[in-house]
Amino acid sequence: MLNDLASRPIIGISIGDGAGIGPEIVLKSVSDVAIREICEPLIIGDLEFLRKTAKDLDLPIRLVSHEGDSTDAIRVYDLANLSRSITLAEESNECGRAAGQYIEKAVELWELGEIDAIATAPINKRSLALGGYDHPGHTEFLAALTETKEFRMSFFADNLRVVLISTHISLREAIDRVKHDALVDVIDFTSRTLSDLLGRKVRIAVAGLNPHASEGGMFGSEEADEMAPAIAYCRTRRLIDVNGPFSPDTIFIRGYRGEFDAVIACYHDQATIAVKSLAFGSAVNVTLGLPLIRTSVDHGTAFDIAGKGIADPASMSSAIRLAADLCETSRSKAAKP
């Protein structure tokens, strides 16, 4: 449930793994007046730990409990689940358990209508497992909490939006998954979810699997045997605005320039190399298919710089801004007669 249309959207911001850079980039982001002009941030974390972090960073912000007076202050939903003795830059069951609890609380607050969207700081997958959670990452965790069966990882980098056929699997297995029916599913899913999210019918491009999209069969057969028929089926039978397969070494820059609303990538690194080369530090991870808006950073916990005060908050800020923008798009659609 969204707030009154005249108000700023409330974005729940989980701080991720306390031993990483999550708390730092969250605090740096919400200390930016421009962020607070477009949304009301509600940090989900440990209040005293965040106060200490803000003091160490010399940030001019006041943090208060979510039940306290938020005038000229940032509200924190305090789970009080981090001890003062945690060691930065180390995997631990304490930080993993706390990170999992932040995610659970964020979904609970959304279900209660207390927040409009979620923006997440990075978690450490090993710590999450040590903390007792059997999820490989945020995407699968959030899908389980919301009982979502169909979902996809995507990345937004300005005009470039990339949706993945597969994510964290071996390259050999990823290649084997580039099949007609699987591609039809992801094209259809991308058309439905992105059109709904952006409030317009989207134009989709599909990146080829092989160099130069196989150059007419010279470098592989997947494009001719699996991909082209799937694209033609979606275009003629599902009436989806989709084209390809295009040479993967140029299609992402075409998407970035606005020629397409989305590019479907055949495997994880095909997507992320393009996104991070074009917009590292400002790209945003978006989970498509969830009943809620969820954005995240395009990087990990960066244990190597945790506690040094040098972490760049650009991606976290972009994630919060995008969450707020998508909330406004959703509100505009809801307000139409």
Side-chain angles (χ1 to χ4, degrees):
M1 180 180 72
L2 293 174
N3 301 308
D4 182 81
L5 294 179
S7 66
R8 295 167 298 162
I10 300 175
I11 309 300
I13 308 168
S14 60
I15 66 170
D17 193 301
I21 64 171
E24 177 182 343
I25 60 176
V26 168
L27 291 171
K28 285 180 175 178
S29 294
V30 300
S31 68
D32 183 354
V33 174
I35 290 288
R36 302 201 300 276
E37 287 177 345
I38 62 171
C39 71
E40 180 183 348
L42 174 62
I43 302 176
I44 303 166
D46 182 295
L47 179 56
E48 289 307 313
F49 179 78
L50 287 167
R51 282 174 171 166
K52 179 182 183 304
T53 303
K55 182 178 179 181
D56 291 343
L57 294 169
D58 196 26
L59 291 175
I61 57 174
R62 186 166 66 91
L63 302 174
V64 298
S65 167
H66 71 285
E67 297 175 334
D69 178 11
S70 61
T71 304
D72 297 323
I74 305 297
R75 293 191 300 144
V76 177
Y77 199 103
D78 183 19
L79 295 188
N81 54 2
L82 287 177
S83 67
R84 305 286 78 82
S85 60
I86 70 165
T87 302
L88 296 181
E90 286 189 7
E91 297 170 347
S92 71
N93 61 350
E94 179 182 356
C95 287
R97 182 171 58 253
Q101 290 169 350
Y102 303 143
I103 299 167
E104 291 171 332
K105 179 56 67 174
V107 172
E108 178 187 334
L109 291 173
W110 173 78
E111 290 174 336
L112 292 171
E114 299 294 324
I115 60 176
D116 299 305
I118 298 171
T120 60
I123 57 175
N124 180 281
K125 294 176 177 60
R126 173 62 177 161
S127 292
L128 192 68
L130 291 172
Y133 291 98
D134 186 23
H135 300 289
H138 266 118
T139 300
E140 296 82 3
F141 198 161
L142 288 164
L145 289 172
T146 57
E147 299 183 348
T148 301
K149 303 302 181 186
E150 189 180 17
F151 56 93
R152 298 275 177 179
M153 177 186 290
S154 71
F155 292 93
F156 285 38
D158 295 324
N159 287 327
L160 177 62
R161 304 171 190 88
V162 184
V163 184
L164 287 69
I165 295 178
S166 61
T167 54
H168 301 123
I169 58 176
S170 72
L171 183 56
R172 175 70 271 161
E173 185 179 349
I175 292 171
D176 290 340
R177 290 195 187 184
V178 181
K179 300 294 184 184
H180 178 281
D181 290 352
L183 189 52
V184 167
D185 286 345
V186 71
I187 292 171
D188 182 72
F189 174 87
T190 300
S191 178
R192 286 186 286 109
T193 58
L194 269 185
S195 294
D196 182 64
L197 196 63
L198 300 178
R200 65 175 188 272
K201 184 177 181 180
V202 294
R203 301 158 298 160
I204 302 170
V206 179
L209 172 66
N210 295 295
H212 305 288
S214 84
E215 197 80 31
M218 292 181 64
F219 311 126
S221 61
E222 289 86 357
E223 282 80 5
D225 294 347
E226 305 289 344
M227 303 184 77
I231 293 166
Y233 174 85
C234 289
R235 191 168 52 245
T236 59
R237 301 291 292 274
R238 303 277 179 95
L239 303 180
I240 297 172
D241 187 351
V242 57
N243 288 280
F246 295 105
S247 180
D249 61 356
T250 56
I251 191 55
F252 295 98
I253 192 66
R254 292 172 65 185
Y256 187 74
R257 290 172 177 169
E259 190 173 339
F260 300 96
D261 295 302
V263 178
I264 292 174
C266 290
Y267 53 92
H268 182 275
D269 282 14
Q270 186 184 62
T272 56
I273 289 172
V275 168
K276 293 183 180 183
S277 294
L278 288 166
F280 185 73
S282 62
V284 179
N285 183 338
V286 181
T287 305
L288 299 178
L290 296 176
L292 54 82
I293 293 169
R294 178 262 171 163
T295 63
S296 189
V297 294
D298 69 344
H299 57 75
T301 50
F303 278 175
D304 57 320
I305 60 171
K308 296 181 180 179
I310 59 174
D312 185 350
S315 185
M316 188 75 248
S317 296
S318 294
I320 298 169
R321 287 193 189 95
L322 180 59
D325 288 345
L326 294 176
C327 284
E328 292 301 333
T329 299
S330 179
R331 290 178 176 187
S332 296
K333 288 191 302 178
K336 289 182 179 179

